[in-house]
């Protein structure tokens, strides 16, 4: 009677070789997969900016002016803690039901506009960021000062936030803001963009943090007028800091972005909120003509300052 030999299995060495080959293939494929995912996230982010830019244009077509950045309630609260442009364009983002719940005449905090302050909108959230609600109650519920963060803010010009053209305010440079179409207590229309709507940045990405227990800085809380914009004084994704600084309380408020920030000495008005994103290499911006582009973080600072002013008359290289 003949005995049949059992088929030989893998030896340990062969098994290790197969595992090593699989590991190499995964290592080769992983960067490509990550790049594809990042490309998809960036595409979605660009689509969001396009939709928000169109909403602002539709607002302009309806009211013949751009939406308020916000206003300072000087008699009760001078820091501009009011509804920003974000709330005013909600009907043009198919959010009319949320818009109808809002009171635009006073402070946004102190329990006012709670639904507005806690509702996350996908069109205002870059998929490369994790959106969180800041300053929750201790039990995780929405409190009187809770605030939903956002990935996009309008451009308030080549200035600090106050747009006050202060002389030598940072010890480095006396700026001339060259105009801005979004300002506290004032509204403008597109005729204010004399540098050209295709050459001037209307909105762009801003960084957010993930702390849910406190205010933790102004970036990303653009539902409020005192956080609804970014300035063009510093280049995108900058790690630099100036005297006015970033309106935040702790150096590690934005660990994902590694932003060296501190509480600005003059309050939020003197802050320089730079454009910032989690996309490698730069930020996505929307221009006043409704177009969207990607601005590299290596852009010449003077070119960037020219792009973020509305009436500076700068000559920008193509």
């Amino acid at each position: 009677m003949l005995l049949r030999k059992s088929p030989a299995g893998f030896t340990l060495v062969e098994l290790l070789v197969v595992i090593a080959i699989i590991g190499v293939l995964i290592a080769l494929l992983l960067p490509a997969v990550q790049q594809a995912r990042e490309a998809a996230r960036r595409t979605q982010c660009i689509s969001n900016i396009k939709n928000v830019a169109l909403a602002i244009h539709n607002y302009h077509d309806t009211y013949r002016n751009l939406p308020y950045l916000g206003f300072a309630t000087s008699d009760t609260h001078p820091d501009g803690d009011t509804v920003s442009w974000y709330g005013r364009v909600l009907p043009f983002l198919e959010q009319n039901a949320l818009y109808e719940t809002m009171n635009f005449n006073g402070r946004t905090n102190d329990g006012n506009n709670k639904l507005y302050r806690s509702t996350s909108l996908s069109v205002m959230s870059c998929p490369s960021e994790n959106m969180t609600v800041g300053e929750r109650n201790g039990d995780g519920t929405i409190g009187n000062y809770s605030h939903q963060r956002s990935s996009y803010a309008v451009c308030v010009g080549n200035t600090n936030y106050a747009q006050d053209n202060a002389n030598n305010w940072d010890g480095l440079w006396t700026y001339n803001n060259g105009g801005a179409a979004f300002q506290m207590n004032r509204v403008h229309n597109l005729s204010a963009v004399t540098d050209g709507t295709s050459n001037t940045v209307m909105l762009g990405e801003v960084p957010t943090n993930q702390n849910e227990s406190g205010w933790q800085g102004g970036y990303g809380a653009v539902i409020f007028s005192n956080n609804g914009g970014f300035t063009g004084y510093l280049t995108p994704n900058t790690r630099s800091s100036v005297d006015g600084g970033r309106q935040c309380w702790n150096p590690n408020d934005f660990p994902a972005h590694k932003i060296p920030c501190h509480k600005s000495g003059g309050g939020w008005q003197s802050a320089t909120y730079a454009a910032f994103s989690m996309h490698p290499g730069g930020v996505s911006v929307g221009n006043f003509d409704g177009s969207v582009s990607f601005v590299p973080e290596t852009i010449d600072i003077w070119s960037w300052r020219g792009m973020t002013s509305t009436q500076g008359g700068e000559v920008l290289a193509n």
Side-chain angles (χ1 to χ4, degrees):
M1 182 176 180
L2 297 175
L3 296 177
R4 294 189 177 183
K5 291 184 178 181
S6 299
F10 283 111
T11 66
L12 179 60
V13 173
E14 291 171 330
L15 183 61
L16 292 175
V17 169
V18 170
I19 292 174
I21 292 173
I22 293 174
V24 170
L25 291 175
I26 292 175
L28 292 173
L29 289 173
L30 189 58
V33 172
Q34 291 174 334
Q35 289 177 3
R37 287 178 175 174
E38 169 54 27
R41 290 192 292 264
R42 183 181 294 182
T43 299
Q44 182 59 53
C45 189
I46 289 174
S47 176
N48 288 347
I49 293 175
K50 182 71 172 180
N51 286 331
V52 175
L54 289 175
I56 293 175
H57 270 270
N58 287 333
Y59 181 101
H60 183 277
D61 291 344
T62 301
Y63 297 104
R64 300 304 178 190
N65 57 60
L66 295 165
Y68 263 113
L69 178 63
F71 60 93
T73 53
S74 56
D75 54 335
T76 58
H77 206 69
D79 71 355
D81 178 13
T82 53
V83 174
S84 74
W85 63 272
Y86 181 121
R88 299 173 192 278
V89 301
L90 288 175
F92 305 98
L93 291 170
E94 300 183 345
Q95 294 294 329
N96 195 65
L98 178 59
Y99 179 83
E100 292 295 333
T101 69
M102 297 172 59
N103 176 8
F104 290 86
N105 295 321
R107 292 188 64 190
T108 306
N109 274 327
D110 285 346
N112 302 313
N113 295 317
K114 180 176 279 190
L115 188 62
Y116 169 65
R117 288 187 290 102
S118 60
T119 301
S120 178
L121 301 180
S122 59
V123 71
M124 298 298 293
S125 305
C126 178
S128 293
E129 288 274 15
N130 293 318
M131 295 295 106
T132 61
V133 175
E135 235 173 75
R136 290 181 183 270
N137 292 328
D139 60 0
T141 58
I142 301 300
N144 287 346
Y145 295 89
S146 296
H147 53 283
Q148 176 60 51
R149 289 159 178 142
S150 169
S151 299
Y152 313 114
V154 296
C155 181
V156 299
N158 175 21
T159 65
N160 62 6
Y161 206 93
Q163 304 172 331
D164 56 12
N165 283 331
N167 289 327
N168 203 32
W169 69 279
D170 64 350
L172 299 174
W173 182 55
T174 301
Y175 60 72
N176 182 341
N177 67 32
F182 296 96
Q183 291 180 275
M184 293 290 290
N185 301 318
R186 295 188 62 185
V187 291
H188 300 273
N189 56 38
L190 287 175
S191 64
V193 190
T194 58
D195 284 350
T197 56
S198 63
N199 299 324
T200 308
V201 174
M202 178 168 66
L203 74 156
E205 296 180 89
V206 291
T208 64
N209 64 77
Q210 309 307 310
N211 189 310
E212 295 190 352
S213 63
W215 180 259
Q216 298 296 310
Y219 271 146
V222 304
I223 58 174
F224 303 123
S225 54
N226 52 350
N227 302 294
F230 72 92
T231 68
Y233 180 71
L234 298 172
T235 51
N237 292 352
T238 183
R239 262 56 175 196
S240 301
S241 185
V242 293
D243 181 62
R246 319 296 166 72
Q247 179 70 350
C248 55
W249 273 249
N250 302 302
N252 59 349
D253 277 351
F254 300 90
H257 301 277
K258 299 181 175 60
I259 301 172
C261 53
H262 53 271
K263 188 172 183 178
S264 50
W268 63 267
Q269 300 95 333
S270 66
T272 54
Y273 300 115
F276 218 113
S277 82
M278 292 297 290
H279 305 304
V283 298
S284 297
V285 300
N287 300 311
F288 276 97
D289 67 348
S291 63
V292 181
S293 56
F294 189 76
V295 178
E297 60 192 38
T298 55
I299 186 174
D300 173 73
I301 190 168
W302 294 104
S303 295
W304 175 243
R305 287 171 176 171
M307 291 171 61
T308 53
S309 69
T310 58
Q311 300 174 8
E314 302 91 350
V315 177
L316 302 179
N318 292 326

